[in-house]
Amino acid sequence: MNGNANRIQAEGVIKNIIREIVQECASRGEGVSETLVAFIVKAVVLEPQNDFQVDRVLASDDVQRLIDLCVKRLLNNKSIALDTVKMQVYFDMNYTTRDEFLTEHRRVLETRLQPISREITDNRATTKDELEALYRKIVSSVLLRSGLGSPTDISVVREATAALQSVFPQTELGNFLNLSKRDKDRQLIELTQIVTGIRLFNKECGKGGEGIDNLPTILNEAIPATLKEIQQQTDDAVDSSEKFIAVLDTMTTLSQKQLGSDATKQKIQEAMINSRQFELYLNTLSNDARQSAREVDELLSQFKTRLDQLKTTIQNRTAVPTAQVYPQFMHLAVIWFGFQDEMVLLSVLSNILYSLEPYTLNTKDLLSDESVRKYLSKVSIVTDQQRLQVNNNGNVVQPEERNAEGTWYYSETTKNFDKLPLMYKGFCAYHLALNDFKLIHGDPRIGIVQINDHFYSFSEPKDAILFCRKPATYIESIANNAKLNAELIQLLDLHTHFSNVAPYGDLTQSSSKPHLKADCGSQTDTHFHEKNIVKDYEWNEWELRRKAIKLANLRRRLTKSIQTNTSNFRRENTTQVYLPKDQYIQTKRDNYTNVPQPKVYLSGIRGHQRHDDGHFLPANVQKIDLTRDIDE
């Protein structure tokens, strides 16, 4: 109970600290989110030089010092490390996977359409004017749900009304009102799909299409342009990373006096982390954009095929069976809704792309710094492609060199080799463990080593051999480097190494999550195999003979039934009673009373006298009460 109270108290202190930091930054003209502040607080606490004890309650002086350090860091607009953290927070809070985004987008769309759908399904129109108003609402619902034109455009409304009347004339409103709410919702969706398909087909035939954008053409132009922009920024980010790594290699051989004061290792490392993080996010956006391109190609092929089938089905006929043409219109609409989803998804990817770029401005400014350019003029830059080309001749870790911990896997002998979950986002684990760490991509072709259920990749065979000789030391060194550079925790996905640091998406809820406990049980079957026990089996032949005689005798018996007054007592009865309870009564004292015993004597019963004539005289019986008085 005390532990729970301490945890709640600590959470309250953290929330107050975050709130004070947000208010302090706002008073100085800098708006920050609570998620960003929460991570900065934990990053400041983790740094060893700040000397915060995470296993005890902070004193008031420590709390104020923590607030001052966080505010100072948040207000430093020239900090590249802060830019990286802001970039990570923004991406983690705004980016979702393709499936999650489309699911959420459709849910939001349905939520926005609920008011007009409810007005239609709950309507109880009876008069002519009310029915006409209801029909106009159905037209508006169809337009809003389909997204083909604005409900305020007269030409669009007329075209949608004409298409709806060909499918659902106003005379059918009576039958529509008699349906249940669920059936009404389902029919509204079907009407939207059919009307959408009709309008798209008419646009293809040149007979309509007011307010309908040519989404396939727009997507075919927008996706390549977006991919080109992403690739350009990716190349710039990779080029920046390679330059910073080259500068770090040069600084490693120089003394502190030779380094100067303008460009320190810390700044270069922060800029390298910023470029690599931007590169990873651009790769994620590029994969989504390429997936959208494939989806658009598939949808475009289906769209053209369905239009050709519709043209073949209709062929200028005045009447076509609805069972043949309505499903095709509905399928055409579903394909078009797929184009709309890809359009929204591409728009979100573009917004994220342009929103991430401001977080790299300080890194680009550092590249143009005179001190950094001085180093770049003296070094030869080794690109990521050149590092990969070094291993093109088949350099791998040979069996005789694997004289340390770990299990090795190679692409030629391992199934699903490319799907192994690499630690540190695939960066070389050896270079990350060095004091002047560098983010160099690992090359899985030289082999992947498994240590304690984790998979590590390296840039060169010699790095892998050195790492496997003392893996625990190198892993601890990587964690120490992450404490000094908190942005590495998110970049390398090191949340499991720091139990008190959660991903950005969980920072706002992690402190309030209760530790749940539950009693659980499991039941095991007694017999796992089917029983083959014959219960009427009898091994004793005399018992079998007795049963045979009994059955033979039964054949000569007659069954009779009669009921008497007492035979009903022979049946089984059940009753429910309340069992006697043991009860006790306590009094103040014991007492008793003594009542005299009644004693009565009858006299004159014996000794009757006779008359002279021989007859007996009547007995003179007298009752004498001999009972003692109660007062005696």
mmCIF file of all heavy atoms in Angstrom, residues 298-332:
data_model
loop_
_atom_site.group_PDB
_atom_site.id
_atom_site.type_symbol
_atom_site.label_atom_id
_atom_site.label_comp_id
_atom_site.label_asym_id
_atom_site.label_seq_id
_atom_site.Cartn_x
_atom_site.Cartn_y
_atom_site.Cartn_z
ATOM 1 N N GLU A 298 -2.718 -0.759 -59.378
ATOM 2 C CA GLU A 298 -3.690 -1.861 -59.308
ATOM 3 C C GLU A 298 -5.119 -1.322 -59.427
ATOM 4 O O GLU A 298 -5.961 -1.901 -60.134
ATOM 5 C CB GLU A 298 -3.504 -2.604 -57.987
ATOM 6 C CG GLU A 298 -4.458 -3.775 -57.782
ATOM 7 C CD GLU A 298 -4.247 -4.899 -58.782
ATOM 8 O OE1 GLU A 298 -3.130 -5.000 -59.323
ATOM 9 O OE2 GLU A 298 -5.205 -5.675 -59.014
ATOM 10 N N LEU A 299 -5.428 -0.224 -58.728
ATOM 11 C CA LEU A 299 -6.765 0.353 -58.804
ATOM 12 C C LEU A 299 -7.077 0.858 -60.206
ATOM 13 O O LEU A 299 -8.209 0.710 -60.694
ATOM 14 C CB LEU A 299 -6.889 1.509 -57.803
ATOM 15 C CG LEU A 299 -6.907 1.137 -56.315
ATOM 16 C CD1 LEU A 299 -6.821 2.381 -55.447
ATOM 17 C CD2 LEU A 299 -8.174 0.351 -55.973
ATOM 18 N N LEU A 300 -6.093 1.452 -60.864
ATOM 19 C CA LEU A 300 -6.318 1.962 -62.219
ATOM 20 C C LEU A 300 -6.622 0.824 -63.192
ATOM 21 O O LEU A 300 -7.506 0.961 -64.060
ATOM 22 C CB LEU A 300 -5.084 2.742 -62.682
ATOM 23 C CG LEU A 300 -5.209 3.497 -64.008
ATOM 24 C CD1 LEU A 300 -6.351 4.501 -63.944
ATOM 25 C CD2 LEU A 300 -3.899 4.193 -64.346
ATOM 26 N N SER A 301 -5.925 -0.305 -63.023
ATOM 27 C CA SER A 301 -6.205 -1.459 -63.883
ATOM 28 C C SER A 301 -7.623 -1.981 -63.643
ATOM 29 O O SER A 301 -8.365 -2.284 -64.596
ATOM 30 C CB SER A 301 -5.171 -2.556 -63.606
ATOM 31 O OG SER A 301 -5.469 -3.723 -64.340
ATOM 32 N N GLN A 302 -8.031 -2.082 -62.366
ATOM 33 C CA GLN A 302 -9.385 -2.536 -62.049
ATOM 34 C C GLN A 302 -10.433 -1.546 -62.550
ATOM 35 O O GLN A 302 -11.502 -1.958 -63.029
ATOM 36 C CB GLN A 302 -9.526 -2.731 -60.535
ATOM 37 C CG GLN A 302 -8.649 -3.816 -59.957
ATOM 38 C CD GLN A 302 -8.813 -3.935 -58.457
ATOM 39 O OE1 GLN A 302 -9.722 -3.348 -57.853
ATOM 40 N NE2 GLN A 302 -7.936 -4.695 -57.824
ATOM 41 N N PHE A 303 -10.130 -0.256 -62.452
ATOM 42 C CA PHE A 303 -11.092 0.772 -62.878
ATOM 43 C C PHE A 303 -11.352 0.687 -64.382
ATOM 44 O O PHE A 303 -12.510 0.720 -64.829
ATOM 45 C CB PHE A 303 -10.530 2.155 -62.499
ATOM 46 C CG PHE A 303 -11.496 3.283 -62.689
ATOM 47 C CD1 PHE A 303 -12.580 3.445 -61.850
ATOM 48 C CD2 PHE A 303 -11.317 4.205 -63.712
ATOM 49 C CE1 PHE A 303 -13.478 4.493 -62.023
ATOM 50 C CE2 PHE A 303 -12.197 5.250 -63.895
ATOM 51 C CZ PHE A 303 -13.279 5.394 -63.050
ATOM 52 N N LYS A 304 -10.300 0.549 -65.168
ATOM 53 C CA LYS A 304 -10.463 0.450 -66.615
ATOM 54 C C LYS A 304 -11.203 -0.835 -66.995
ATOM 55 O O LYS A 304 -12.074 -0.829 -67.885
ATOM 56 C CB LYS A 304 -9.105 0.499 -67.286
ATOM 57 C CG LYS A 304 -8.408 1.848 -67.178
ATOM 58 C CD LYS A 304 -7.053 1.832 -67.870
ATOM 59 C CE LYS A 304 -6.366 3.191 -67.775
ATOM 60 N NZ LYS A 304 -5.019 3.166 -68.421
ATOM 61 N N THR A 305 -10.878 -1.927 -66.322
ATOM 62 C CA THR A 305 -11.561 -3.194 -66.607
ATOM 63 C C THR A 305 -13.042 -3.114 -66.298
ATOM 64 O O THR A 305 -13.889 -3.572 -67.079
ATOM 65 C CB THR A 305 -10.909 -4.323 -65.792
ATOM 66 O OG1 THR A 305 -9.517 -4.403 -66.105
ATOM 67 C CG2 THR A 305 -11.567 -5.659 -66.099
ATOM 68 N N ARG A 306 -13.398 -2.488 -65.181
ATOM 69 C CA ARG A 306 -14.813 -2.389 -64.795
ATOM 70 C C ARG A 306 -15.564 -1.471 -65.752
ATOM 71 O O ARG A 306 -16.724 -1.749 -66.102
ATOM 72 C CB ARG A 306 -14.915 -1.869 -63.360
ATOM 73 C CG ARG A 306 -16.339 -1.736 -62.846
ATOM 74 C CD ARG A 306 -17.106 -3.039 -62.951
ATOM 75 N NE ARG A 306 -16.537 -4.060 -62.082
ATOM 76 C CZ ARG A 306 -16.930 -5.322 -62.094
ATOM 77 N NH1 ARG A 306 -17.862 -5.724 -62.960
ATOM 78 N NH2 ARG A 306 -16.375 -6.198 -61.285
ATOM 79 N N LEU A 307 -14.942 -0.388 -66.195
ATOM 80 C CA LEU A 307 -15.600 0.491 -67.167
ATOM 81 C C LEU A 307 -15.863 -0.243 -68.481
ATOM 82 O O LEU A 307 -16.942 -0.096 -69.084
ATOM 83 C CB LEU A 307 -14.741 1.732 -67.418
ATOM 84 C CG LEU A 307 -14.732 2.807 -66.317
ATOM 85 C CD1 LEU A 307 -13.745 3.910 -66.661
ATOM 86 C CD2 LEU A 307 -16.129 3.404 -66.123
ATOM 87 N N ASP A 308 -14.907 -1.028 -68.923
ATOM 88 C CA ASP A 308 -15.110 -1.798 -70.161
ATOM 89 C C ASP A 308 -16.243 -2.806 -69.993
ATOM 90 O O ASP A 308 -17.061 -3.002 -70.912
ATOM 91 C CB ASP A 308 -13.812 -2.516 -70.543
ATOM 92 C CG ASP A 308 -12.711 -1.545 -70.943
ATOM 93 O OD1 ASP A 308 -13.051 -0.392 -71.293
ATOM 94 O OD2 ASP A 308 -11.528 -1.922 -70.870
ATOM 95 N N GLN A 309 -16.331 -3.449 -68.834
ATOM 96 C CA GLN A 309 -17.413 -4.401 -68.596
ATOM 97 C C GLN A 309 -18.766 -3.708 -68.575
ATOM 98 O O GLN A 309 -19.766 -4.246 -69.083
ATOM 99 C CB GLN A 309 -17.173 -5.145 -67.284
ATOM 100 C CG GLN A 309 -15.977 -6.100 -67.312
ATOM 101 C CD GLN A 309 -15.740 -6.755 -65.973
ATOM 102 O OE1 GLN A 309 -16.415 -6.448 -64.985
ATOM 103 N NE2 GLN A 309 -14.768 -7.666 -65.924
ATOM 104 N N LEU A 310 -18.823 -2.516 -68.000
ATOM 105 C CA LEU A 310 -20.076 -1.772 -67.975
ATOM 106 C C LEU A 310 -20.510 -1.370 -69.381
ATOM 107 O O LEU A 310 -21.697 -1.462 -69.730
ATOM 108 C CB LEU A 310 -19.928 -0.529 -67.101
ATOM 109 C CG LEU A 310 -20.179 -0.718 -65.601
ATOM 110 C CD1 LEU A 310 -19.745 0.507 -64.822
ATOM 111 C CD2 LEU A 310 -21.643 -1.021 -65.343
ATOM 112 N N LYS A 311 -19.559 -0.917 -70.183
ATOM 113 C CA LYS A 311 -19.896 -0.563 -71.561
ATOM 114 C C LYS A 311 -20.408 -1.769 -72.329
ATOM 115 O O LYS A 311 -21.361 -1.663 -73.123
ATOM 116 C CB LYS A 311 -18.669 0.029 -72.250
ATOM 117 C CG LYS A 311 -18.249 1.384 -71.701
ATOM 118 C CD LYS A 311 -16.992 1.898 -72.397
ATOM 119 C CE LYS A 311 -16.551 3.247 -71.824
ATOM 120 N NZ LYS A 311 -15.302 3.728 -72.464
ATOM 121 N N THR A 312 -19.813 -2.917 -72.093
ATOM 122 C CA THR A 312 -20.265 -4.136 -72.766
ATOM 123 C C THR A 312 -21.656 -4.533 -72.283
ATOM 124 O O THR A 312 -22.498 -5.002 -73.065
ATOM 125 C CB THR A 312 -19.273 -5.279 -72.505
ATOM 126 O OG1 THR A 312 -17.972 -4.879 -72.939
ATOM 127 C CG2 THR A 312 -19.687 -6.529 -73.254
ATOM 128 N N THR A 313 -21.932 -4.355 -70.996
ATOM 129 C CA THR A 313 -23.233 -4.748 -70.438
ATOM 130 C C THR A 313 -24.347 -3.843 -70.941
ATOM 131 O O THR A 313 -25.446 -4.298 -71.283
ATOM 132 C CB THR A 313 -23.174 -4.706 -68.900
ATOM 133 O OG1 THR A 313 -22.132 -5.569 -68.449
ATOM 134 C CG2 THR A 313 -24.499 -5.154 -68.302
ATOM 135 N N ILE A 314 -24.092 -2.540 -70.987
ATOM 136 C CA ILE A 314 -25.150 -1.589 -71.351
ATOM 137 C C ILE A 314 -25.337 -1.523 -72.868
ATOM 138 O O ILE A 314 -26.438 -1.711 -73.390
ATOM 139 C CB ILE A 314 -24.830 -0.205 -70.766
ATOM 140 C CG1 ILE A 314 -24.839 -0.296 -69.233
ATOM 141 C CG2 ILE A 314 -25.832 0.830 -71.244
ATOM 142 C CD1 ILE A 314 -24.434 0.979 -68.542
ATOM 143 N N GLN A 315 -24.271 -1.205 -73.619
ATOM 144 C CA GLN A 315 -24.318 -1.183 -75.092
ATOM 145 C C GLN A 315 -25.515 -0.404 -75.635
ATOM 146 O O GLN A 315 -26.280 -0.885 -76.472
ATOM 147 C CB GLN A 315 -24.343 -2.621 -75.638
ATOM 148 C CG GLN A 315 -23.040 -3.383 -75.414
ATOM 149 C CD GLN A 315 -23.102 -4.782 -75.963
ATOM 150 O OE1 GLN A 315 -24.192 -5.263 -76.318
ATOM 151 N NE2 GLN A 315 -21.967 -5.455 -76.045
ATOM 152 N N ASN A 316 -25.709 0.803 -75.090
ATOM 153 C CA ASN A 316 -26.755 1.711 -75.585
ATOM 154 C C ASN A 316 -28.168 1.133 -75.473
ATOM 155 O O ASN A 316 -29.075 1.539 -76.188
ATOM 156 C CB ASN A 316 -26.490 2.119 -77.036
ATOM 157 C CG ASN A 316 -25.193 2.906 -77.173
ATOM 158 O OD1 ASN A 316 -24.830 3.673 -76.280
ATOM 159 N ND2 ASN A 316 -24.494 2.689 -78.276
ATOM 160 N N ARG A 317 -28.372 0.165 -74.618
ATOM 161 C CA ARG A 317 -29.716 -0.384 -74.421
ATOM 162 C C ARG A 317 -30.512 0.538 -73.507
ATOM 163 O O ARG A 317 -29.974 1.134 -72.571
ATOM 164 C CB ARG A 317 -29.642 -1.788 -73.825
ATOM 165 C CG ARG A 317 -29.104 -2.835 -74.812
ATOM 166 C CD ARG A 317 -29.204 -4.230 -74.234
ATOM 167 N NE ARG A 317 -28.257 -4.404 -73.120
ATOM 168 C CZ ARG A 317 -28.143 -5.540 -72.431
ATOM 169 N NH1 ARG A 317 -28.934 -6.577 -72.728
ATOM 170 N NH2 ARG A 317 -27.266 -5.633 -71.462
ATOM 171 N N THR A 318 -31.781 0.608 -73.746
ATOM 172 C CA THR A 318 -32.632 1.496 -72.940
ATOM 173 C C THR A 318 -32.974 0.891 -71.584
ATOM 174 O O THR A 318 -33.250 1.622 -70.636
ATOM 175 C CB THR A 318 -33.948 1.794 -73.693
ATOM 176 O OG1 THR A 318 -34.597 0.545 -74.007
ATOM 177 C CG2 THR A 318 -33.647 2.545 -74.985
ATOM 178 N N ALA A 319 -32.976 -0.425 -71.482
ATOM 179 C CA ALA A 319 -33.312 -1.091 -70.221
ATOM 180 C C ALA A 319 -32.317 -2.218 -69.985
ATOM 181 O O ALA A 319 -32.093 -3.054 -70.857
ATOM 182 C CB ALA A 319 -34.739 -1.637 -70.237
ATOM 183 N N VAL A 320 -31.750 -2.230 -68.799
ATOM 184 C CA VAL A 320 -30.779 -3.259 -68.417
ATOM 185 C C VAL A 320 -31.218 -3.814 -67.062
ATOM 186 O O VAL A 320 -31.598 -3.048 -66.171
ATOM 187 C CB VAL A 320 -29.355 -2.672 -68.302
ATOM 188 C CG1 VAL A 320 -28.357 -3.768 -67.956
ATOM 189 C CG2 VAL A 320 -28.965 -1.987 -69.600
ATOM 190 N N PRO A 321 -31.197 -5.125 -66.875
ATOM 191 C CA PRO A 321 -31.585 -5.704 -65.583
ATOM 192 C C PRO A 321 -30.708 -5.146 -64.460
ATOM 193 O O PRO A 321 -29.471 -5.084 -64.583
ATOM 194 C CB PRO A 321 -31.366 -7.205 -65.777
ATOM 195 C CG PRO A 321 -31.465 -7.416 -67.254
ATOM 196 C CD PRO A 321 -30.923 -6.175 -67.879
ATOM 197 N N THR A 322 -31.377 -4.726 -63.397
ATOM 198 C CA THR A 322 -30.627 -4.131 -62.278
ATOM 199 C C THR A 322 -29.683 -5.128 -61.629
ATOM 200 O O THR A 322 -28.627 -4.748 -61.112
ATOM 201 C CB THR A 322 -31.604 -3.604 -61.219
ATOM 202 O OG1 THR A 322 -32.442 -4.681 -60.771
ATOM 203 C CG2 THR A 322 -32.476 -2.505 -61.794
ATOM 204 N N ALA A 323 -30.025 -6.420 -61.638
ATOM 205 C CA ALA A 323 -29.171 -7.425 -61.029
ATOM 206 C C ALA A 323 -27.829 -7.529 -61.742
ATOM 207 O O ALA A 323 -26.846 -7.998 -61.157
ATOM 208 C CB ALA A 323 -29.869 -8.778 -61.024
ATOM 209 N N GLN A 324 -27.773 -7.103 -62.998
ATOM 210 C CA GLN A 324 -26.531 -7.163 -63.753
ATOM 211 C C GLN A 324 -25.701 -5.896 -63.601
ATOM 212 O O GLN A 324 -24.471 -5.955 -63.496
ATOM 213 C CB GLN A 324 -26.826 -7.386 -65.241
ATOM 214 C CG GLN A 324 -27.464 -8.733 -65.561
ATOM 215 C CD GLN A 324 -27.685 -8.905 -67.051
ATOM 216 O OE1 GLN A 324 -27.187 -8.125 -67.860
ATOM 217 N NE2 GLN A 324 -28.459 -9.931 -67.419
ATOM 218 N N VAL A 325 -26.355 -4.745 -63.592
ATOM 219 C CA VAL A 325 -25.621 -3.488 -63.670
ATOM 220 C C VAL A 325 -25.348 -2.861 -62.297
ATOM 221 O O VAL A 325 -24.303 -2.233 -62.110
ATOM 222 C CB VAL A 325 -26.389 -2.498 -64.575
ATOM 223 C CG1 VAL A 325 -27.650 -1.992 -63.886
ATOM 224 C CG2 VAL A 325 -25.494 -1.341 -64.991
ATOM 225 N N TYR A 326 -26.235 -3.033 -61.313
ATOM 226 C CA TYR A 326 -26.025 -2.387 -60.011
ATOM 227 C C TYR A 326 -24.754 -2.880 -59.310
ATOM 228 O O TYR A 326 -23.977 -2.063 -58.777
ATOM 229 C CB TYR A 326 -27.248 -2.587 -59.113
ATOM 230 C CG TYR A 326 -28.398 -1.647 -59.434
ATOM 231 C CD1 TYR A 326 -28.302 -0.728 -60.481
ATOM 232 C CD2 TYR A 326 -29.582 -1.679 -58.710
ATOM 233 C CE1 TYR A 326 -29.344 0.120 -60.790
ATOM 234 C CE2 TYR A 326 -30.640 -0.832 -59.008
ATOM 235 C CZ TYR A 326 -30.512 0.068 -60.058
ATOM 236 O OH TYR A 326 -31.556 0.903 -60.362
ATOM 237 N N PRO A 327 -24.494 -4.190 -59.256
ATOM 238 C CA PRO A 327 -23.235 -4.631 -58.621
ATOM 239 C C PRO A 327 -21.993 -4.052 -59.296
ATOM 240 O O PRO A 327 -20.993 -3.764 -58.633
ATOM 241 C CB PRO A 327 -23.297 -6.151 -58.745
ATOM 242 C CG PRO A 327 -24.750 -6.476 -58.850
ATOM 243 C CD PRO A 327 -25.343 -5.340 -59.626
ATOM 244 N N GLN A 328 -22.048 -3.865 -60.608
ATOM 245 C CA GLN A 328 -20.896 -3.302 -61.296
ATOM 246 C C GLN A 328 -20.707 -1.828 -60.942
ATOM 247 O O GLN A 328 -19.578 -1.349 -60.776
ATOM 248 C CB GLN A 328 -21.074 -3.463 -62.816
ATOM 249 C CG GLN A 328 -21.143 -4.923 -63.259
ATOM 250 C CD GLN A 328 -21.098 -5.053 -64.778
ATOM 251 O OE1 GLN A 328 -20.276 -4.425 -65.431
ATOM 252 N NE2 GLN A 328 -21.977 -5.880 -65.326
ATOM 253 N N PHE A 329 -21.828 -1.087 -60.832
ATOM 254 C CA PHE A 329 -21.735 0.308 -60.393
ATOM 255 C C PHE A 329 -21.148 0.396 -58.975
ATOM 256 O O PHE A 329 -20.320 1.270 -58.686
ATOM 257 C CB PHE A 329 -23.107 0.974 -60.422
ATOM 258 C CG PHE A 329 -23.561 1.358 -61.810
ATOM 259 C CD1 PHE A 329 -24.882 1.149 -62.209
ATOM 260 C CD2 PHE A 329 -22.685 1.912 -62.720
ATOM 261 C CE1 PHE A 329 -25.310 1.492 -63.483
ATOM 262 C CE2 PHE A 329 -23.096 2.269 -64.001
ATOM 263 C CZ PHE A 329 -24.410 2.054 -64.381
ATOM 264 N N MET A 330 -21.579 -0.505 -58.101
ATOM 265 C CA MET A 330 -21.089 -0.492 -56.732
ATOM 266 C C MET A 330 -19.596 -0.808 -56.683
ATOM 267 O O MET A 330 -18.832 -0.181 -55.937
ATOM 268 C CB MET A 330 -21.878 -1.493 -55.883
ATOM 269 C CG MET A 330 -23.359 -1.128 -55.732
ATOM 270 S SD MET A 330 -24.330 -2.415 -54.925
ATOM 271 C CE MET A 330 -23.689 -2.326 -53.262
ATOM 272 N N HIS A 331 -19.164 -1.765 -57.479
ATOM 273 C CA HIS A 331 -17.732 -2.091 -57.511
ATOM 274 C C HIS A 331 -16.920 -0.925 -58.070
ATOM 275 O O HIS A 331 -15.812 -0.624 -57.585
ATOM 276 C CB HIS A 331 -17.501 -3.344 -58.365
ATOM 277 C CG HIS A 331 -16.089 -3.840 -58.317
ATOM 278 N ND1 HIS A 331 -15.474 -4.445 -59.387
ATOM 279 C CD2 HIS A 331 -15.163 -3.787 -57.327
ATOM 280 C CE1 HIS A 331 -14.235 -4.756 -59.055
ATOM 281 N NE2 HIS A 331 -14.026 -4.381 -57.811
ATOM 282 N N LEU A 332 -17.461 -0.232 -59.065
ATOM 283 C CA LEU A 332 -16.784 0.934 -59.628
ATOM 284 C C LEU A 332 -16.615 2.020 -58.559
ATOM 285 O O LEU A 332 -15.566 2.676 -58.481
ATOM 286 C CB LEU A 332 -17.584 1.463 -60.814
ATOM 287 C CG LEU A 332 -16.902 2.535 -61.685
ATOM 288 C CD1 LEU A 332 -15.703 1.952 -62.404
ATOM 289 C CD2 LEU A 332 -17.904 3.113 -62.683
#
